Amino acid sequence: MKLQRASRRKPVARRGEAAILFTVGPYSFLIAAEEVDEIRETHELVSVAVNTMRTTVEKIRSTLKKAGKTYFVVDGSLHFQMMPSRPTRLMILRNQTVAVTVDAIDRMMEIDRVLPLPKAFTCIEREWYRGLAVINEKVIPVVNGKTFLTAAEQVIARKALGPAAETGARA
Amino acid sequence: MTRMNESQFVLFPLGDRRFALPAEKVSELARPDRLQTFPHSTPLLTGVLVRRGSIVPVCDVAQILIGNQGPARKFYLIASRQYGRTNEQVALPVTGECELTSAEIVAPTGKLPDYVLGLLTLGKEIIEVVDLEKIVGPEVAA
């Protein structure tokens, strides 16, 4: 009898996981609370849109200076390839120099299960999302905070922004 | 002409035309349900349904089979699609009631798309039997 290796699956279900519900445009998303360091308003952002326009990191619209570090600020609507929205909140991600602008932070909640994204989805959304949660019969994608800006994109961003990351006009 | 043994098929309507799936691929015909959407880039997928605690992707195959201008879809045909060694349910929006029939499938001839598994002859009607694995997948162009 031929033994077959059991298929390896990423452990997507973390019972009772604290998560933050936020919106970008007409859609709701969830992100694990442990992936978010801080939430603040957007008025401290420095615009770098001119530098990133027509590059592969066009979704970086601004930067944020915090504790001596420069954070790349990703526009949530551009990241998810949506129509531009009106962001009012900034999520600063943990263990990264990356932040994301979103329209609103709804609330903290606990999610019981993160269901795998169906295999029928084959494109970039498989990188965006860890999986899907069903909250009161509503399907909400659970985003992977590490994929808002990959390491390669950060390298491209530093090259594109150069000194502009320090001296760009206020957003 | 090559003929295979008679088998069971589910006929489903898309506008004025009917297509078929092998009956073993079909689990149910569902009434209109709440289609839920979120950002994604996969062609043909229009959203998902929640059915009995599971998330079922909705794949609008009519765009491939009859073109973008098809009539309103009224039901969801829940079928199974194989991905490697696993099966996953997929919902196909259809424009009317479906029918179970037994017929002999004839191997496709001529210049038919790859997703045509074979042909059924029912009276004067020629019905294409669709291969879901070829029509619902990354190789299908938008």
Side-chain angles (χ1 to χ4, degrees):
Chain A
M1 180 179 71
K2 185 178 179 182
L3 294 177
Q4 295 178 333
R5 180 180 294 177
S7 61
R8 290 183 184 178
R9 298 184 66 189
K10 288 181 186 177
V12 293
R14 301 180 204 168
R15 289 201 169 269
E17 180 180 1
I20 297 169
L21 182 67
F22 65 94
T23 58
V24 179
Y27 298 106
S28 295
F29 302 88
L30 284 162
I31 186 169
E34 64 184 19
E35 293 196 89
V36 179
D37 191 30
E38 184 183 339
I39 294 171
R40 47 164 85 175
E41 295 187 353
T42 58
H43 55 257
E44 294 176 78
L45 302 182
V46 173
S47 176
V48 293
V50 170
N51 303 83
T52 59
M53 197 184 306
R54 296 191 196 93
T55 70
T56 55
V57 291
E58 195 171 10
K59 61 184 176 179
I60 300 174
R61 307 292 288 174
S62 49
T63 59
L64 171 76
K65 291 282 266 183
K66 176 176 176 277
K69 291 182 184 177
T70 299
Y71 286 72
F72 298 118
V73 179
V74 173
D75 183 298
S77 62
L78 291 180
H79 175 70
F80 292 118
Q81 299 177 6
M82 293 161 47
M83 294 296 289
S85 60
R86 293 178 176 273
T88 66
R89 290 291 182 271
L90 181 72
M91 287 197 307
I92 300 173
L93 302 181
R94 186 159 289 158
N95 298 327
Q96 306 182 60
T97 49
V98 177
V100 185
T101 54
V102 302
D103 291 13
I105 302 293
D106 196 330
R107 63 182 188 276
M108 286 274 293
M109 61 189 311
E110 201 167 273
I111 46 178
D112 291 332
R113 284 200 306 165
V114 178
L115 298 171
L117 191 66
K119 290 185 173 63
F121 291 94
T122 58
C123 295
I124 195 169
E125 60 274 4
R126 298 208 72 86
E127 295 177 21
W128 292 344
Y129 308 136
R130 280 174 44 209
L132 302 172
V134 181
I135 310 292
N136 297 329
E137 300 276 312
K138 185 176 175 185
V139 177
I140 303 175
V142 183
V143 303
N144 181 347
K146 294 182 178 58
T147 61
F148 278 110
L149 202 65
T150 64
E153 287 174 326
Q154 292 185 44
V155 170
I156 295 169
R158 285 192 194 93
K159 188 176 179 182
L161 298 183
E166 313 294 328
T167 61
R170 285 211 169 269
Chain B
M1 184 181 292
T2 304
R3 288 187 178 269
M4 294 172 243
N5 293 334
E6 191 169 283
S7 302
Q8 287 201 310
F9 299 92
V10 173
L11 309 181
F12 61 94
L14 290 175
D16 296 332
R17 292 186 60 188
R18 292 198 298 176
F19 297 86
L21 284 172
E24 65 269 17
K25 288 283 188 182
V26 178
S27 54
E28 64 177 304
L29 180 67
R31 287 283 176 185
D33 205 342
R34 185 182 161 203
L35 179 69
Q36 304 202 38
T37 61
F38 49 82
H40 71 87
S41 297
T42 303
L44 299 186
L45 295 191
T46 57
V48 297
L49 306 175
V50 180
R51 303 242 352 133
R52 301 186 187 93
S54 294
I55 295 174
V56 181
V58 177
C59 182
D60 192 15
V61 295
Q63 295 181 43
I64 297 291
L65 297 179
I66 63 170
N68 287 329
Q69 303 304 318
R73 326 296 190 239
K74 291 183 181 176
F75 301 97
Y76 291 108
L77 189 64
I78 310 295
S80 65
R81 198 265 193 217
Q82 195 162 0
Y83 292 91
R85 293 180 180 174
T86 59
N87 278 324
E88 185 177 272
Q89 287 193 320
V90 61
L92 311 179
V94 297
T95 57
E97 299 273 358
C98 299
E99 179 184 332
L100 180 66
T101 191
S102 294
E104 281 190 48
I105 184 171
V106 178
T109 56
K111 293 181 181 178
L112 289 174
D114 286 345
Y115 58 73
V116 177
L117 202 59
L119 300 172
L120 307 179
T121 303
L122 300 176
K124 296 181 180 179
E125 190 181 5
I126 306 292
I127 296 174
E128 293 178 354
V129 181
V130 173
D131 185 343
L132 269 187
E133 272 70 25
K134 291 201 168 71
I135 203 170
V136 180
E139 65 276 5
V140 175

